[in-house]
Amino acid sequence: MPSYKTLVIIILSLFFVSCVGNNNLQRKDIKLFEAEDQYILFALEYEKNRDFYKARQVYFELFDKTNRYEYLLRFLTISMQLSRFEDVKEYSYKYLDEDTPYYEDVLRFYAISLLKLGELDEALKVSLQLLEKFNNSDNYELTANVYFEKEQYKQAEEYFESAYISNVSGDTLTNLVDVLYSYLNKKEKAISYLETHIRLYGCQGGVCTKLFSFYSEQKNIDGIISVLKKSYFENKAKGDLFSMNRTYKYLIAYLEQKNIDEAIRFLEENRVDDFKLLTLYQKKDDKKNALKLLKELYKSTGNIDLLAQIAIFEFEVAKDKRKVLKEVIENFESALMILDNHIYQNYLGYLLIDYEVDIKKGVLLIEKALKKAPNNVAYIDSYAWGLYKEKRCKEAYIQMKKVVDAIGVDEPEIKMHWNKIKECK
């Protein structure tokens, strides 16, 4: 988990950016000095070019010449972004004026600068003063942060809770639940807060990510799946494909870990990743559904590799193998005109040998496969069986002996091949 101190404070340093953004400098129609418009354009251009030191200097000159607090707030905001906390402290205190409509903003800058400079007792005093004059969620949260830095976690909890109640916000809630979960050992309360918020308001503000991290720590697979589904469908509804796909990868991994049937059901219902669905069918040895999906995918993509896979599944699901043998061989041959794949070469080669369609061609195909994977016992078995069918008994025996020495004769087909080859004269 990232440092909580970083998380709870960094948002404060950028707190006013949105309030006094580049395009929202509020000016009266009357210019207070001739070059005021020109100064504003200079400041905005400096910001656009990320020359923030010059920009803040121009904003301060604008404030100095006009006494318009919009310019002071922009100066303080940029100073905060540049970590010039001493400057923020000096100028926010110097220009505090209860008679201006910006008094709360400037006083809050002063409190934040004290917090960032580690002057915690004074920061608490000012934040409580701020809260007394302006009772709102922002000031509750600021006070909560000061208590947190003072390691007074119970008080931090109370003020974060008040901030959240006054203005339901996912960002505020993540701060509150971090205090509850990591510092006060109120894990169930933290999780309950998050579950309720997500049920009522959704995932905005990082709450689903936070709940996911808590569930992960507790190894609560059902909880993880639930929050990932919530996040997935929210991102889908918003059209956020990047977040949706990233969430999906976690979701399907946990679904598969819990129950492969659940993972398959999710993919069947949502059709978000047919290739993953195909993999799960194969993992479950559901050849019938795998074949059906393979045909759909081949029709839509024209991927020649899928044609070879269709051949495999078509053969394996057929009750009467000889009935489909011709079509299966044709599909393999079409695929191998383009592909140079040792798995398919061995499979087709074995069919040609075992059903005595073209033993010589089958042996040549398996020899190609063995060049790529010379130690593959399945290929050596196929090769030995081909040599046997060609009546090359001694060679067949040498190859089959390698298979038996490697894996024994527990498999019925291996045992049958070994017995036949031993009898070969």
Side-chain angles (χ1 to χ4, degrees), residues 115 144 238 246 266 325 341:
L115 175 61
K238 290 188 295 185
R246 185 176 58 182
F266 176 84
L325 187 61
N341 183 297

Side-chain angles (χ1 to χ4, degrees), residues 214-241:
F214 291 166
Y215 280 148
S216 296
E217 184 180 316
Q218 297 187 348
K219 296 182 172 55
N220 182 345
I221 299 296
D222 288 330
I224 289 170
I225 290 170
S226 172
V227 76
L228 286 173
K229 278 185 177 179
K230 178 72 175 175
S231 182
Y232 172 83
F233 286 115
E234 273 197 26
N235 290 323
K236 184 178 181 180
K238 290 188 295 185
D240 185 350
L241 295 180

